[in-house]
Amino acid sequence: SPLDAPPVAHGSARAMRYIPHKRGNVSRWVREAAGNDDVEGIDAALDAAKDKDEALNKGDFVGRTALHWAAGRGRADAVRHLLALGARVKLSGNQASPLHDLAASGSPNAPALVQDLLAAAPWQLTHRDNLGHYPVDKARDVGDKTMALALDALMMTVVGKRGPTTKPRTSSSWMPSCMSAGKARGIVGSDERPLLEGAARA
């Protein structure tokens, strides 16, 4: 009966049920939900935010936003949901775009998300990070031939040649916060584990 029905959770209550141990930093909740492809979690966290734009677009300690986190794990639902919410395409501390992180993800979802990210910010295709890498270079680095071919084909239409690497490609010494250590080492299935931002600093 209606009297026995549980109360409907709204706003902060719904968000706190999503991550009950979190306090204060709502943008962190949004990033973690994005990395876990949890669309409801993203909405719940934003419900609790006083400044939704800040919560949606604020970066972590290396400047990666929720869109970086979702792209870096090939989270199709989260990437598209964030873009629909108006998430801005920003650069991280090492000047990487979300397309860089998507290209480095090795996810089978990655090629299908390229157009979504480029529709939001076409400049990502030919933007270099602080090591001089294009997104296509990141795909080559992780051995994702399908993604590399897709980005190469797009580079051909934009600049008339395949994406070159103008600087030596050097492995970064730190772990991107939007990726798990297991995923970076190529352990199959590691990206299915729940992602918590604090684990990136451990």
Side-chain angles (χ1 to χ4, degrees):
S1 70
L3 293 177
D4 297 327
V8 176
H10 295 284
S12 298
R14 183 157 64 96
M16 289 304 292
R17 207 163 58 230
Y18 163 58
I19 311 180
H21 67 282
K22 295 289 191 294
R23 296 292 185 275
N25 191 349
V26 179
S27 64
R28 173 173 173 172
W29 306 359
V30 177
R31 291 191 296 270
E32 290 179 356
N36 289 320
D37 211 22
D38 186 347
V39 170
E40 290 186 2
I42 292 170
D43 290 341
L46 290 174
D47 282 349
K50 293 181 180 179
D51 186 334
K52 287 182 170 55
D53 183 74
E54 180 183 31
L56 185 62
N57 292 293
K58 186 176 180 180
D60 61 13
F61 73 109
V62 290
R64 281 182 158 80
T65 65
L67 193 56
H68 284 92
W69 278 55
R73 298 187 115 207
R75 301 309 204 192
D77 290 343
V79 167
R80 289 170 177 148
H81 189 60
L82 290 167
L83 291 172
L85 289 171
R88 295 193 297 276
V89 176
K90 301 171 69 175
L91 297 176
S92 65
N94 70 342
Q95 298 299 297
S97 71
L99 186 60
H100 279 93
D101 285 2
L102 179 68
S105 72
S107 168
N109 296 326
L113 290 171
V114 171
Q115 293 295 345
D116 295 272
L117 288 177
L118 290 181
W123 54 264
Q124 294 179 93
L125 182 64
T126 54
H127 175 76
R128 297 182 186 133
D129 65 15
N130 65 357
L131 294 176
H133 297 171
Y134 293 104
V136 67
D137 296 321
K138 308 303 281 187
R140 290 171 182 154
D141 283 345
V142 299
D144 189 341
K145 294 180 180 179
T146 302
M147 186 66 167
L149 286 172
L151 293 171
D152 255 340
L154 288 169
M155 290 285 284
M156 287 284 287
T157 66
V158 173
V159 298
K161 58 182 178 180
R162 295 185 181 277
T165 300
T166 56
K167 295 181 182 180
R169 288 181 288 185
T170 310
S171 297
S172 180
S173 60
W174 51 272
M175 181 64 58
S177 61
C178 60
M179 296 174 64
S180 68
K183 177 67 175 178
R185 291 195 301 268
I187 300 174
V188 176
S190 64
D191 63 341
E192 297 307 316
R193 295 177 297 183
L195 180 68
L196 297 179
E197 181 172 334
R201 305 193 195 194

